[in-house]
Amino acid sequence: MKKNYLIITFLLLAGTFSACKKDNEEIEIANPTLSNVEIGYANNKRAIRGRDFHLNADVIAGTKITTVEVKILQKTNQKYTDNWKLELTWEEFRGTKNTNVHKHFTIPKEAPEGTYDFLFIVNDENGSRLELKEDFIII
C-alpha cells in the first residue's frame, strides 16, 4: 500500500515539473514585410497633380492581411496653400498571405504642391502593423 502512495506521489510531482509550456511565455507575433516597393514611376516618390500615380509593393503577411492603406499627409514643418490629405484603404487583399499591391490612382488637381509624408500601411489578422513612411513630393 505504501508503495502505491509513493508511486502516485512521484507521478504527481513529475507531472507538475514537466509542463510543456510556461504560462508566462510570450508568443512571438510575425510582422508583415515589404519588398520591391515603387512609390511613383521609377520609384521617384513624386506625383503630378491631376495625373495618374503608380504604386507597387510585394507584401508578405505574418498571418493574413486585413487591410492595405495609403496616406498622403501634410508635414507639420511645411507651409501649404491649403489643408489637404489623401487616405485610401483597400480591403480586396483581405485574407491573403502574400500579394502584389499594384495600384494606379489620380492625385487630385486641388492638392497643394509641396513635400508630404507618404505612408504605406499593412494591417495583419494577428494584430501586427507595418508602416513604411517616405518623403513624397506633389508638383
Side-chain angles (χ1 to χ4, degrees), residues 45-136:
K45 297 178 180 67
R46 292 175 177 258
I48 299 173
R49 296 183 302 170
R51 293 237 181 122
D52 181 63
F53 177 75
H54 164 80
L55 172 67
N56 188 77
D58 292 329
V59 179
I60 298 176
T63 52
K64 290 184 180 176
I65 297 169
T66 55
T67 59
V68 173
E69 303 173 56
V70 164
K71 295 181 182 183
I72 301 173
L73 306 173
Q74 293 179 329
K75 291 180 169 287
T76 56
N77 60 350
Q78 298 283 320
K79 291 186 179 183
Y80 303 91
T81 58
D82 199 4
N83 288 330
W84 180 84
K85 67 180 175 179
L86 180 66
E87 295 182 356
L88 302 169
T89 301
W90 297 290
E91 295 193 20
E92 67 199 66
F93 304 104
R94 179 182 301 275
T96 59
K97 170 76 174 159
N98 54 5
T99 192
N100 174 259
V101 176
H102 187 116
K103 291 292 185 179
H104 288 261
F105 52 92
T106 301
I107 301 296
K109 287 182 180 180
E110 64 270 8
E113 290 186 359
T115 302
Y116 290 79
D117 286 327
F118 185 97
L119 288 85
F120 186 82
I121 303 163
V122 178
N123 294 298
D124 202 323
E125 284 181 355
N126 66 15
S128 64
R129 174 184 175 104
L130 173 67
E131 187 173 299
L132 172 70
K133 182 177 177 182
E134 296 283 346
D135 284 341
F136 179 72

